[in-house]
Amino acid sequence: MTIRSVAIIGLGLLGGSIGLAIREKLSEVTTTGFDADADVRGRATANGLVGAVCDTAAQAVASADLVILCVPVGAMGDAARGLAGCLKEGAIVSDVGSSKRSVVSALEEALPDAIVIPAHPVAGTERSGPDAGFATLFEGRWCILTPPKNADTDAVSALTLFWQELGATVELMDPDHHDLVLAVTSHIPHLIAYTIVGTASDLEDVTRGEVIKYSAGGFRDFTRIAASDPVMWRDVFLNNRDAVLEMLGRFTEDLTAMQRAIRDGDGDRLLEIFSRTRAIRQAILEQGQDVAKPDFGRGSKEV
Amino acid sequence: MTIRSVAIIGLGLLGGSIGLAIREKLSEVTTTGFDADADVRGRATANGLVGAVCDTAAQAVASADLVILCVPVGAMGDAARGLAGCLKEGAIVSDVGSSKRSVVSALEEALPDAIVIPAHPVAGTERSGPDAGFATLFEGRWCILTPPKNADTDAVSALTLFWQELGATVELMDPDHHDLVLAVTSHIPHLIAYTIVGTASDLEDVTRGEVIKYSAGGFRDFTRIAASDPVMWRDVFLNNRDAVLEMLGRFTEDLTAMQRAIRDGDGDRLLEIFSRTRAIRQAILEQGQDVAKPDFGRGSKEV
């Protein structure tokens, strides 16, 4: 099974990056695209995100071997229903959603006869929209596939090869386990970042101007994540509720213990916790999942 | 009042960066330095962090117009007591501590006759030690001075000029207000980062390997901050307890409200919160307190 044409539904950061990556790395593959927003279709055409931007999703997918839904996870069901009866025989339907259990259900319900192989490339930036994509977004990142138990193995192999050719390393996972893992490595970090930025914005005894001025003390890092697409993240939390609440519960237990240690002046306990956390950063650097320069190499002013 | 010689006590990231910045930007100013750790003194000499690394703090400060204590805030009192009787007539004693109320008290108690002008340059990286410093660390950053009410205005002016010449913008502030502002812009972000990295390290149903692999979903950002110097941060939390607990209380209230919105499936509320947080990032970028590239320019792979 060979993927010769890819249809991308949703032409934001992820959809646009897939289109640009295909153009750069898989030049023999043709691409079509659609976005429900006419302005986005215009920008996508101007930016050359895909070979042809179509006026309807049905047109975009008509001859595609692989259809990738790049819309917020809450919009997956509607987007998939719009493709029923329009897909090419044997086409693979996939996605890039950040939660998988709800997406698996939505896609299988909307397209019961299609070959559905959900996917989640763990990559992105705080930017969104049709001007945010770039061809190297997936290089060195992981892409998790959550194929159903009875999935067509040729289709899984073809989709694996596709993501590998865009630069990603592919792993298969059960959708429930995916949702638990991503709750801790992505969803809770975003929730915390959105919360602290909100807290800092609403203080009375510290002005917003002071928060901005002295943000280099650590706060500014959280504002980057909290600048991510609000609709995408609303949908993630609504669609991965159970795993997020489970992990949030563990985090708040640990935060309460930290609070108690500070209140009690328990320096030994604080030092013990603060000393354990460097090892995990070191492992992330060794596995190429972050840049090894101090301060993310920001400003590149280091000697 | 002119600062012709500077003594730096503590030759880690901050002390070393001050020494290197003076060499680069104030070449007519001589520098001496001391660190309680002999290995650090050796590295400081090898790295040329100061003109002369001395064997005792008393030697280092003997002829200095400005003495800067660059030790963890919990060590300020002891470091200052070690200088009693050793200071040059009219010398300014300052510091770089991240909390100020406790430092003001410790320095004034240890050196009742000295000219004490506490300071906090809001700059740093997750690195620490005598190999971590660089001359441009303070460029474009803020430096907050918290002079006592009866402070020598010439001394305040001289210290202001000194930090400006290293590239910083100087602001005067009451120490209690400083501690409240920095609790939200620096201390709580660090506490949250240490906590979530600890939580993620201790899970049973998600392995440490999975946390590392999929950290690019947001978690990796927190591991950078949580790699900061454990002793420095223990001391910050022990010495700024009240402001940290106050701000932590507000954060956990907001987090609880977020948790409730997720549990209730209140998408409108989530969207409203997530939509408000972009403005503060934009202001931070406009004021040059962070790099405007997506993902901090990490990897510089963007088109």
Side-chain angles (χ1 to χ4, degrees):
Chain A
M1 174 166 199
T2 306
I3 295 169
R4 293 196 180 80
S5 59
V6 176
I8 302 169
I9 307 300
L11 295 166
L13 169 65
L14 270 285
S17 294
I18 293 171
L20 293 170
I22 292 173
R23 191 174 70 183
E24 190 174 297
K25 298 162 199 283
L26 291 167
S27 54
E28 74 288 4
V29 171
T30 61
T31 53
T32 52
F34 171 75
D35 195 286
D37 182 330
D39 290 342
V40 172
R41 293 200 297 276
R43 294 298 311 151
T45 303
N47 291 336
L49 300 183
V50 288
V53 176
C54 303
D55 290 331
T56 67
Q59 280 181 314
V61 305
S63 60
D65 299 317
L66 168 63
V67 175
I68 308 180
L69 300 174
C70 302
V71 301
V73 290
M76 290 287 179
D78 279 348
R81 271 185 290 279
L83 305 181
C86 306
L87 296 168
K88 182 177 161 183
E89 174 79 25
I92 301 170
V93 177
S94 189
D95 74 306
V96 296
S98 300
S99 70
K100 295 265 70 84
R101 166 52 58 205
S102 70
V103 171
V104 168
S105 306
L107 297 188
E108 292 188 338
E109 191 184 312
L111 300 166
D113 302 324
I115 301 172
V116 171
I117 318 275
H120 177 203
V122 185
T125 78
E126 70 276 24
R127 303 277 174 94
S128 49
D131 298 314
F134 50 100
T136 56
L137 179 62
F138 309 108
E139 288 181 6
R141 299 279 83 84
W142 288 84
C143 182
I144 301 169
L145 307 188
T146 61
K149 294 227 186 316
N150 59 350
D152 180 317
T153 54
D154 284 351
V156 174
S157 297
L159 190 60
T160 297
L161 184 62
F162 171 78
W163 278 108
Q164 287 170 342
E165 287 177 324
L166 298 198
T169 309
V170 173
E171 186 127 298
L172 304 189
M173 206 182 275
D174 167 79
D176 289 325
H177 189 63
H178 167 280
D179 286 0
L180 200 62
V181 172
L182 271 291
V184 68
T185 64
S186 180
H187 307 170
I188 294 296
H190 277 79
L191 190 72
I192 292 169
Y194 276 120
T195 302
I196 182 70
V197 176
T199 303
S201 307
D202 289 343
L203 297 172
E204 285 168 10
D205 32 16
V206 176
T207 68
R208 184 180 279 244
E210 288 172 326
V211 168
I212 292 162
K213 269 185 186 174
Y214 309 116
S215 60
F219 178 75
R220 62 178 178 169
D221 284 37
F222 292 67
T223 66
R224 184 190 79 77
I225 289 184
S228 301
D229 185 30
V231 172
M232 173 195 154
W233 282 100
R234 176 200 63 190
D235 281 10
V236 168
F237 293 112
L238 295 178
N239 284 281
N240 195 23
R241 184 175 66 176
D242 294 346
V244 165
L245 291 177
E246 162 70 19
M247 288 298 166
L248 186 55
R250 300 193 194 196
F251 169 75
T252 55
E253 281 172 28
D254 290 343
L255 191 63
T256 301
M258 203 78 100
Q259 184 174 22
R260 167 56 69 94
I262 293 171
R263 195 181 297 282
D264 291 349
D266 187 350
D268 292 343
R269 177 88 186 107
L270 294 175
L271 189 63
E272 191 261 322
I273 299 169
F274 297 171
S275 300
R276 287 170 51 214
T277 46
R278 280 184 165 175
I280 209 159
R281 173 98 190 138
Q282 196 51 41
I284 287 170
L285 299 182
E286 282 163 10
Q287 295 191 19
Q289 292 303 311
D290 207 341
V291 294
K293 295 180 207 158
D295 213 7
F296 303 125
R298 249 186 311 217
S300 303
K301 285 180 175 172
E302 293 73 23
V303 284
Chain B
M1 173 164 199
T2 306
I3 294 168
R4 293 195 181 80
S5 60
V6 177
I8 302 168
I9 306 300
L11 295 166
L13 169 66
L14 269 285
S17 294
I18 293 171
L20 293 170
I22 292 173
R23 191 174 68 182
E24 190 173 297
K25 298 162 199 284
L26 291 168
S27 54
E28 74 289 4
V29 172
T30 61
T31 53
T32 51
F34 171 75
D35 195 287
D37 183 331
D39 290 342
V40 171
R41 292 201 297 276
R43 295 296 312 150
T45 303
N47 292 335
L49 300 183
V50 288
V53 175
C54 302
D55 290 331
T56 67
Q59 280 182 310
V61 305
S63 59
D65 299 317
L66 169 63
V67 176
I68 308 180
L69 300 174
C70 303
V71 300
V73 290
M76 290 287 178
D78 280 345
R81 270 186 290 280
L83 305 182
C86 308
L87 296 168
K88 183 176 161 183
E89 174 78 25
I92 301 170
V93 177
S94 189
D95 76 304
V96 296
S98 301
S99 71
K100 294 265 72 79
R101 168 50 59 203
S102 70
V103 171
V104 168
S105 307
L107 297 188
E108 292 187 338
E109 191 183 310
L111 300 167
D113 302 322
I115 302 172
V116 171
I117 318 276
H120 177 203
V122 185
T125 77
E126 70 276 25
R127 302 278 173 94
S128 49
D131 299 315
F134 52 99
T136 56
L137 179 62
F138 309 108
E139 286 181 8
R141 298 281 83 84
W142 289 83
C143 183
I144 301 170
L145 307 188
T146 61
K149 295 227 187 312
N150 58 350
D152 180 317
T153 54
D154 284 351
V156 174
S157 297
L159 190 61
T160 297
L161 185 62
F162 171 78
W163 278 107
Q164 288 170 341
E165 287 177 323
L166 299 197
T169 309
V170 173
E171 187 127 301
L172 303 189
M173 207 181 275
D174 168 78
D176 289 326
H177 189 63
H178 167 279
D179 287 359
L180 200 61
V181 172
L182 270 291
V184 68
T185 64
S186 182
H187 307 171
I188 295 295
H190 277 79
L191 190 71
I192 292 170
Y194 277 120
T195 303
I196 181 70
V197 176
T199 304
S201 307
D202 290 342
L203 297 172
E204 284 167 9
D205 33 17
V206 175
T207 68
R208 184 180 278 243
E210 287 172 326
V211 167
I212 291 162
K213 269 185 186 174
Y214 309 117
S215 60
F219 178 74
R220 62 177 177 170
D221 285 37
F222 293 66
T223 66
R224 184 189 79 77
I225 288 183
S228 301
D229 185 29
V231 171
M232 171 195 155
W233 282 99
R234 176 200 63 189
D235 281 8
V236 168
F237 293 111
L238 295 178
N239 284 280
N240 195 22
R241 185 175 65 174
D242 293 347
V244 165
L245 291 176
E246 162 69 20
M247 288 299 166
L248 186 55
R250 300 193 193 197
F251 169 74
T252 54
E253 282 173 27
D254 290 343
L255 191 62
T256 302
M258 202 77 101
Q259 183 174 22
R260 168 55 68 96
I262 293 170
R263 196 180 296 282
D264 291 349
D266 187 350
D268 291 343
R269 177 87 186 109
L270 293 175
L271 188 62
E272 192 261 322
I273 299 169
F274 297 172
S275 300
R276 287 169 51 214
T277 47
R278 280 184 166 176
I280 209 157
R281 172 102 191 133
Q282 195 52 41
I284 286 170
L285 299 182
E286 282 164 9
Q287 296 190 19
Q289 292 303 312
D290 207 342
V291 294
K293 295 180 208 159
D295 212 7
F296 303 124
R298 247 186 313 217
S300 303
K301 285 179 173 173
E302 293 71 25
V303 285

